[in-house]
Amino acid sequence: MTPEKKAEVMAAVAKWRPRLRLMDWAIGYEWEAEKVVIADCRHDARRKRACIRFAPDFLTVPEGSAIGGWMTVEKAMVHELCHLVVSPLYTEAMDAVATARVGEQEERQINERLSDADEQVTEFLARLLWGVHEETAWDGPPCKEETL
């Protein structure tokens, strides 16, 4: 990732952390993570620690790609930081699954559904916050639930 893009990431995080009340979180970065599509966020809600990981070609989008020109560094960071906002809910749900008496296959299926739900709620919250911030709609592709 270029130094300019890293500076953009840091500026977006500095802008949105206080707005999302995440100043008590320790946030680290992995700038060239393999097996990451755009970016992702690993977190520990109990310890309030997170690592935002970036694909090597973060937001270097090929012509005609689904994310096209609508995704920006700031929008990506709002989305990743929103994972931290909803992380206590996700953590509690994962803990409940871990202590439930279900088989390994059922646990895996529940975890996948919880992960999908976490992503949908995070994306909804990010789009809502961005719309309020910009007073415009997020003009990207529809959320998963909008395609039903």
Side-chain angles (χ1 to χ4, degrees):
M1 183 181 306
T2 66
E4 296 80 20
K5 200 163 277 189
K6 285 181 184 178
E8 247 186 291
V9 165
M10 300 303 287
V13 170
K15 176 180 178 179
W16 284 92
R17 273 181 82 178
R19 292 177 181 189
L20 298 174
R21 297 198 164 99
L22 298 172
M23 295 306 291
D24 55 342
W25 279 74
I27 301 174
Y29 306 91
E30 187 177 333
W31 300 108
E32 303 282 331
E34 295 299 322
K35 298 183 181 177
V36 174
V37 176
I38 297 174
D40 71 17
C41 186
R42 303 288 171 97
H43 50 76
D44 179 344
R46 286 183 187 82
R47 294 172 54 202
K48 293 192 174 185
R49 296 174 52 95
C51 179
I52 301 174
R53 305 177 331 138
F54 301 90
D57 58 350
F58 175 64
L59 294 184
T60 305
V61 183
E63 188 84 22
S65 169
I67 65 170
W70 66 268
M71 180 58 77
T72 64
V73 169
E74 188 170 359
K75 286 179 183 177
M77 291 305 89
V78 169
H79 174 94
E80 296 310 326
L81 292 172
C82 282
H83 277 294
L84 305 182
V85 173
V86 301
S87 67
L89 298 171
Y90 182 71
T91 299
E92 289 299 320
M94 294 297 278
D95 286 352
V97 170
T99 59
R101 292 191 174 133
V102 296
E104 194 175 306
Q105 183 177 354
E106 291 89 354
E107 183 175 346
R108 190 170 32 256
Q109 289 172 342
I110 293 168
N111 288 343
E112 287 174 12
R113 289 175 61 195
L114 285 172
S115 184
D116 287 347
D118 173 61
E119 193 62 37
Q120 289 179 19
V121 169
T122 297
E123 182 66 5
F124 175 80
L125 181 58
R127 288 176 185 232
L128 177 67
L129 289 167
W130 189 262
V132 168
H133 169 70
E134 290 291 311
E135 295 183 8
T136 60
W138 185 307
D139 57 352
C143 291
K144 191 173 186 178
E145 65 274 9
E146 293 172 351
T147 61
L148 298 177

